[in-house]
Amino acid sequence: MQQPNSEVIGFMANRRSVPAKTMSGPGPDESSIRTMIEIATRVPDHGKIAPWRFQRYSPDYCAKLGELFLQRALELTPDLNEDLQEIERTRFTRTPVVIAVMSAPQDHPKVPEWEQVLSAGAAAMNLLIAANAHGWDAQWLTEWIAFDEKLAEPLGVRSGEKIAGFIYVGTRTMPKTERDRPAIDDIYSTLGD
Ligand SMILES: Cc1cc2nc3c(=O)[nH]c(=O)nc-3n(C[C@H](O)[C@H](O)[C@H](O)COP(=O)(O)O)c2cc1C
């Protein structure tokens, strides 16, 4: 007999992200981060390839990366004003915890790369949900830094990998607000009824 889990249904029906720029500390400790990562790996994965990987940046390294983001941003846009420079410098220090989810597809005789990329997206979503389920606020962002070739190496991207996203985890400093969602009839239909 089917047993709905109303607590999980309520959590999923109300879950939402919080902008990283409106978060602060505290954040999860290493032991609960490891639990969240274990939960994040519980995703459909055709062929059991594990075509994803998670990488946390230490707080000290986040500060160093901020200087690199700024340096690179100034290379690309030399006349960046001071406010925008500060945004670059503080990208990775907006929250106490920043974890990259890498999409790491492998050549496989039966499993197309597309399916492996989808599994990486599912893993990133599961990490977001796991962080929220532990009581933390979180946001999945890429921003320009995820696509810049010169930043790939300092960000720890390995050959053949792409950044699926950075999961920022912390504590909100303002009340959560709802955002518009698509109307069900715009995104759901049936064929053959
Ligand atoms: C792959 C991916 C990349 C994203 N990158 C950005 C980004 O760079 N900047 C941004 O403002 N939002 C970005 N978002 C959207 C945020 O995650 C946003 O918080 C989210 O859509 C809010 O939805 P939720 O409240 O249902 O979690 C991205 C989302 C995904 C799936």
Side-chain angles (χ1 to χ4, degrees):
M1 168 88 172
Q2 178 191 352
Q3 282 289 350
N5 185 328
S6 51
E7 213 179 319
V8 174
I9 293 169
F11 166 77
M12 292 302 282
N14 291 294
R15 188 213 59 80
R16 81 143 307 187
S17 302
V18 166
K21 64 180 178 210
T22 66
M23 280 191 252
S24 178
D29 62 17
E30 183 59 14
S31 153
S32 49
I33 290 170
R34 292 180 76 87
T35 303
M36 290 175 204
I37 303 283
E38 281 174 350
I39 292 171
T41 66
R42 298 184 67 89
V43 285
D45 166 15
H46 189 181
K48 295 187 215 127
I49 298 167
W52 20 257
R53 159 178 100 74
F54 305 85
Q55 178 182 265
R56 181 175 68 79
Y57 301 95
S58 78
D60 279 356
Y61 194 58
C62 283
K64 279 188 195 143
L65 280 170
E67 297 302 328
L68 274 184
F69 298 157
L70 174 59
Q71 201 182 314
R72 179 67 177 138
L74 285 171
E75 225 173 278
L76 298 167
T77 315
D79 61 349
L80 213 56
N81 72 39
E82 281 196 11
D83 287 350
L84 294 176
Q85 290 191 29
E86 191 56 14
I87 287 175
E88 298 306 339
R89 189 186 289 110
T90 56
R91 265 188 207 289
F92 265 24
T93 47
R94 288 175 286 190
T95 56
V97 172
V98 185
I99 300 166
V101 181
M102 306 292 185
S103 164
Q106 293 163 32
D107 284 336
H108 192 281
K110 287 202 186 130
V111 183
E113 181 176 297
W114 169 234
E115 294 187 359
Q116 300 186 45
V117 172
L118 290 173
S119 183
M125 186 64 217
N126 244 15
L127 179 56
L128 194 68
I129 292 170
N132 290 153
H134 277 76
W136 302 107
D137 293 305
Q139 191 179 30
W140 174 354
L141 295 176
T142 45
E143 304 179 309
W144 70 273
I145 53 174
F147 303 99
D148 186 85
E149 280 180 14
K150 288 202 181 167
L151 291 176
E153 201 231 303
L155 282 167
V157 182
R158 298 179 189 159
S159 171
E161 291 184 343
K162 282 192 181 140
I163 295 169
F166 302 109
I167 307 296
Y168 292 79
V169 187
T171 302
R172 65 180 172 271
T173 57
M174 321 180 159
K176 238 189 229 189
T177 53
E178 195 35 90
R179 71 171 175 92
D180 289 341
R181 305 281 163 179
I184 178 111
D185 290 330
D186 291 343
I187 48 94
Y188 172 69
S189 59
T190 57
L191 263 185
D193 265 357

